[in-house]
Amino acid sequence: MTSAAAAPAAAIAARRRQTRGKLTQLEQAITQLRRERRRLNVRAIAERAGVSATFCYENTDARALVQAAVADARQRRDQGAQQEHERIEASWRERALNAEETLTRTQETVFTQRKRIGELMGQLRDVEQSAPADSAPALRTENASLKRRLDQMTREHRSLQERLEGARSNLRFAEKRIADLEAQLLEQAREEDRTGAVPY
């Protein structure tokens, strides 16, 4: 009787040791996959640990271990995507702000130059009326020079305006690209839930 009773107890103890060994293998597999930056899901963890996926689903401790690893991996992936999104958005926002600031400064400079040119043109007309005839060529040369400066400032203003529009367009494109990538990540996560995630 004693030996008959001891047989089931020994089998139970052996099964428990085997289960503990599998749980240790699962923990090691999760650590390795994290270190290698591999995707964590039930199949990958079970395959690396050398245990069946059924064990990962049916054993309470194994299921909790795998669920925690998958959830942690998903959270890390989402955080990484969010950080990348914020980095790109901040970069484009900074470029747009710099372009806006440069454009504002240029507009102020153009306005100041136009005002100054208007004042000089008025002075020129006054001088032409009272100055001797031989000073007119020098005044016309100065007038032409001022007009060239005005044209140059206008061209620079137009160029900066085009750069600003380009920066805005790039920002819109980056935001659309980020939205597409976030949608892909969400779809990928759903696909993993359907194919490899542990059901709660």
Side-chain angles (χ1 to χ4, degrees), residues 4-110:
I12 291 171
R15 195 174 300 115
R16 285 178 180 164
R17 283 195 302 274
Q18 187 180 27
T19 299
R20 282 197 300 272
K22 288 181 178 179
L23 290 172
T24 301
Q25 290 171 246
L26 283 173
E27 290 174 350
Q28 292 172 348
I30 290 168
T31 301
Q32 290 172 357
L33 289 170
R34 279 179 179 158
R35 192 180 304 122
E36 296 169 7
R37 299 183 182 277
R38 299 286 182 86
R39 283 199 173 275
L40 290 177
N41 56 47
V42 179
R43 290 197 184 101
I45 294 171
E47 185 176 328
R48 178 61 66 93
V51 302
S52 68
T54 304
F55 174 76
C56 296
Y57 287 108
E58 292 181 350
N59 183 276
T60 306
D61 293 333
R63 186 169 60 248
L65 193 64
V66 172
Q67 282 178 342
V70 171
D72 179 65
R74 183 171 294 134
Q75 183 180 8
R76 287 169 187 263
R77 193 166 58 248
D78 292 344
Q79 286 176 348
Q82 181 64 25
Q83 288 171 355
E84 181 65 10
H85 166 76
E86 290 172 358
R87 186 189 67 77
I88 292 172
E89 187 176 6
S91 171
W92 284 110
R93 187 181 295 113
E94 183 180 355
R95 292 184 189 183
L97 289 173
N98 288 341
E100 291 273 8
E101 184 181 348
T102 304
L103 179 62
T104 301
R105 284 200 308 269
T106 305
Q107 288 172 334
E108 290 172 354
T109 304
V110 169

